[in-house]
Amino acid sequence: MTANDVLNNLKELIGKSFDYDDVICAFSDYEENGEDSVYVGESHNDGYDYIAYIDKVDSTQFLLKTDANDVITDVYKIE
C-alpha cells in the first residue's frame, strides 16, 4: 500500500463523523521504512483539525479538516 492509497482511504471518510479508529484503519497494510505505528491527534494549527501519520521522523503526514460538528470535510497529505 502506498501513501496515495492511504489518502484515498481517508478521502472515503469525507462526510462522516471523525473517528480515531476509522482513521487508523485507513492505514491498514501501510508501512514507511518498516514502521507501522500510526499516530492520530488533534491539531492546534490553522487550516486543519487532525493529523495522522506513521510514528516516525519524516513520515508522510495526512491532514484532516472537519466542520463544527466534527464531520470530515477534506483530507490531504504532506510528504
Side-chain angles (χ1 to χ4, degrees), residues 19-49:
D19 181 280
Y20 286 92
D21 290 334
D22 288 343
V23 173
I24 291 169
C25 286
F27 282 80
S28 179
D29 297 327
Y30 177 62
E31 292 185 2
E32 273 191 354
N33 300 319
E35 298 289 328
D36 61 1
S37 177
V38 178
Y39 170 83
V40 180
E42 290 185 45
S43 171
H44 300 287
N45 294 324
D46 289 337
Y48 58 95
D49 301 292

Side-chain angles (χ1 to χ4, degrees), residues 11-79:
K11 284 187 174 189
E12 289 183 21
L13 301 176
I14 291 174
K16 298 180 181 179
S17 293
F18 179 86
D19 181 280
Y20 286 92
D21 290 334
D22 288 343
V23 173
I24 291 169
C25 286
F27 282 80
S28 179
D29 297 327
Y30 177 62
E31 292 185 2
E32 273 191 354
N33 300 319
E35 298 289 328
D36 61 1
S37 177
V38 178
Y39 170 83
V40 180
E42 290 185 45
S43 171
H44 300 287
N45 294 324
D46 289 337
Y48 58 95
D49 301 292
Y50 295 93
I51 185 168
Y53 54 86
I54 297 294
D55 196 7
K56 180 172 174 48
V57 174
D58 295 329
S59 65
T60 303
Q61 297 178 5
F62 299 89
L63 310 176
L64 296 94
K65 294 174 88 171
T66 58
D67 65 12
N69 295 315
D70 217 24
V71 172
I72 298 171
T73 59
D74 198 8
V75 179
Y76 50 101
K77 72 175 179 165
I78 298 179
E79 296 183 79

